[in-house]
Amino acid sequence: AILYGLYAFTYAANDAAVLLLPAILLAAVVAGRWLAQANHSVIWVLPAIMLALAIASGVTESDTSVRDAATVLLNEVPSQAIVLTPGDATISALWYFQHVEDIRPDLVIVDANMFQFDWYRERLKSRYSDLTLPAEDDLAAFVGDNNQLIPVCRVSLEDKGIDCTLPQRRVSFE
């Protein structure tokens, strides 16, 4: 548990907290056995240790960087555009804003990495029947066919970048 904890605290990645899950599990087993054998007046020690670890890891701080970056990107994307994302971090944040906070429901948010899967393209086709979707994994054809009528934007929260291609003629899908 200590080694997992050290690795998680020194691993400089956005999702390093996930690495603490095995350490928490092992610590819970050890603490449970220790508490079963110890005097019950020491039970307050475990919450104090957990609070100290939470403060040390910065869990108590508010981080609005994802919200700020997503707000900027969503404000810059043209209306009724296809938004291509590079993966989990960007698409999860944009789906959250779209489906939970009802911000920019006019956008079609597509994960470029998942486009290779037949089931994902079928899901897109059933949800957005007005889009032209190739039968096989051909993201370039998807972009080219649909960009004739609607804007297509490539966005990334990590790079805080947006690159939009506007169509020659515009049709509204509602």
Side-chain angles (χ1 to χ4, degrees):
I2 291 170
L3 291 176
Y4 270 119
L6 287 173
Y7 182 71
F9 282 115
T10 59
Y11 185 68
N14 293 339
D15 61 348
V18 173
L19 298 173
L20 281 177
L21 293 176
I24 291 170
L25 176 64
L26 291 170
V29 169
V30 170
R33 293 186 63 120
W34 177 71
L35 287 172
Q37 298 170 353
N39 183 352
H40 292 289
S41 63
V42 296
I43 291 177
W44 62 270
V45 172
L46 188 58
I49 292 171
M50 292 174 68
L51 180 62
L53 288 174
I55 291 170
S57 68
V59 171
T60 57
E61 297 175 9
S62 177
D63 184 5
T64 61
S65 60
V66 172
R67 175 175 288 284
D68 296 342
T71 301
V72 168
L73 288 178
L74 289 172
N75 286 335
E76 291 182 12
V77 172
S79 65
Q80 298 179 340
I82 295 173
V83 177
L84 295 176
T85 67
D88 292 344
T90 302
I91 198 160
S92 296
L94 296 183
W95 274 342
Y96 168 81
F97 288 110
Q98 188 177 57
H99 296 293
V100 175
E101 296 192 9
D102 201 31
I103 297 172
R104 299 300 308 267
D106 62 306
L107 301 178
V108 177
I109 302 174
V110 177
D111 188 335
N113 292 337
M114 290 178 47
F115 195 80
Q116 65 182 316
F117 299 109
D118 294 337
W119 63 267
Y120 185 71
R121 290 191 308 278
E122 289 172 13
R123 181 180 173 271
L124 288 173
K125 183 63 176 172
S126 68
R127 182 168 177 139
Y128 306 106
S129 58
D130 294 332
L131 293 179
T132 302
L133 279 136
E136 296 189 10
D137 177 20
D138 192 352
L139 189 60
F142 171 71
V143 169
D145 291 345
N146 290 291
N147 194 224
Q148 293 176 19
L149 301 174
I150 56 178
V152 176
C153 300
R154 295 178 186 272
V155 302
S156 173
L157 288 178
E158 289 91 11
D159 302 334
K160 296 181 181 162
I162 180 171
D163 179 29
C164 292
T165 307
L166 300 177
Q168 295 300 321
R169 50 180 202 196
R170 185 101 184 243
V171 173
S172 176
F173 295 114
E174 296 199 25

